[in-house]
């Protein structure tokens, strides 16, 4: 990573992206942070760029504006994402597509808009924020998990494609982080669901995971920066409390045992 460099962080208006973008400015980088609405708090140190990841024109306009000001984007951090909650049987295809629109296609669109310049420069870093749920599927969050599994596949293929052009690609897989992503997730399916009881037990576990058990966005931002600064960092990087352990367990345990543990954890 160029030091200092020009860094684009998507989804910087709150949560992990906000902490990350601010910390990168403190480290003397030039940082552009995106979202559909400006940050709700006025402590943003970075330059806010309105960008809707569901809209290709909005992305192209935002990237063109940045390149006019800064001539290059050295680091792209694909962080923006949304949550999802509901059983597979009852979640409409439209609702499922909405999750992919942002979490998967949003990343694809942003990469397509930034890559030509990085490739010409023969240099760059792309950080895709996946999730521990990019490796472990959680009940009642099938489409969120599937979108993150898709991000994992996308990122692995991209790694090979752009390596010859001097572009480094890494995955970040956060565990639970105390942001408002879960609060903002639509849970209206719960009350009418035939899975209501299991869903309610699941929600109880989730509240704890996203509350007192969660790591802080500031810690996670610091871990992501350390990955960015380590030229030889691994391709896959678990971040946030507990993520390394749970992802190692996923790798080592047979499916039969891991599925039993996951089901038990979420009380389904
Ligand atoms: N928090 C966790 O426990 C956790 C765990 C694993 C992975 N992650 C991943 O980490 C990333 C950040 O999550 P977070 O917890 O920090 O979420 P968050 O607090 O809800 O912030 C999400 C950010 O994404 C932006 N965003 C959402 N939809 C967008 C769209 N269509 N176009 C442009 N920007 C959009 C939001 O801004 P606007 O709404 O203004 O557009 C906001 O800035 C996500 O990819 C998430 O899946 C989070």
């Amino acid at each position: 990573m160029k030091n200092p460099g020009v860094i684009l962080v998507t989804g910087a208006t709150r949560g992990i992206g906000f902490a990350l973008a601010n910390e990168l400015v403190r480290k003397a980088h030039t940082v552009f942070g995106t979202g559909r609405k400006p940050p709700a708090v006025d402590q943003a140190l970075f330059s806010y760029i309105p960008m809707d990841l569901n809209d290709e024109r909005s992305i192209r306009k935002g990237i063109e504006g940045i390149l006019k000001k800064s001539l290059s984007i050295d680091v792209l951090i694909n962080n923006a994402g949304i949550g999802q909650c509901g059983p597979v049987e009852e979640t409409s295809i439209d609702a499922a597509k909405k999750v992919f629109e942002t979490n998967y296609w949003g990343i694809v669109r942003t990469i397509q808009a930034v890559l030509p310049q990085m490739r010409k420069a023969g240099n760059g870093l792309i950080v895709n924020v996946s999730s521990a749920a990019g490796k472990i599927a959680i009940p009642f969050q099938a489409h969120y998990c599937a979108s993150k599994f898709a991000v994992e596949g996308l990122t692995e293929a991209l790694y090979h494609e752009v390596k010859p052009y001097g572009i480094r690609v890494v995955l970040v897989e956060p565990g639970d982080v105390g942001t408002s992503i879960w609060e903002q997730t639509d849970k209206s399916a719960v009350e009418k669901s035939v899975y209501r009881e299991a869903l309610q037990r699941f929600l109880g576990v989730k509240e704890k995971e996203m509350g007192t058990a969660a790591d802080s966005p500031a810690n996670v931002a610091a871990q992501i920066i350390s990955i960015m600064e380590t030229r030889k960092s691994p391709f896959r990087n678990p971040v946030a409390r507990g993520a390394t352990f749970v992802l190692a367990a996923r790798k080592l345990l047979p499916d039969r045992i891991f599925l039993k543990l996951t089901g038990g954890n979420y009380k389904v």
Side-chain angles (χ1 to χ4, degrees), residues 11-17 34-37 51-54 79-82 102 129-131 144 148 174-177 179-181 184 210:
T13 55
R14 54 177 189 269
I16 297 170
T34 77
R36 288 165 299 181
K37 300 176 291 295
M51 207 186 272
D52 182 353
L53 294 197
N54 299 351
N79 164 75
I82 57 170
T102 305
V129 179
S130 169
S131 171
Y144 176 76
K148 295 296 187 178
D176 299 317
V177 190
T179 69
S180 61
I181 191 168
Q184 305 208 19
M210 295 304 287

Side-chain angles (χ1 to χ4, degrees), residues 14-15 17 26 30 36 41 47 62 76 79 81 87 107 121-122 131 134 140 150 216 219 224 227 230 249 260:
R14 54 177 189 269
R26 288 189 199 102
T30 302
R36 288 165 299 181
V41 288
S47 306
L76 165 62
N79 164 75
I107 293 187
S131 171
F140 304 126
S216 72
N219 277 349
I224 295 175
I227 293 158
T230 310
K260 201 166 174 195

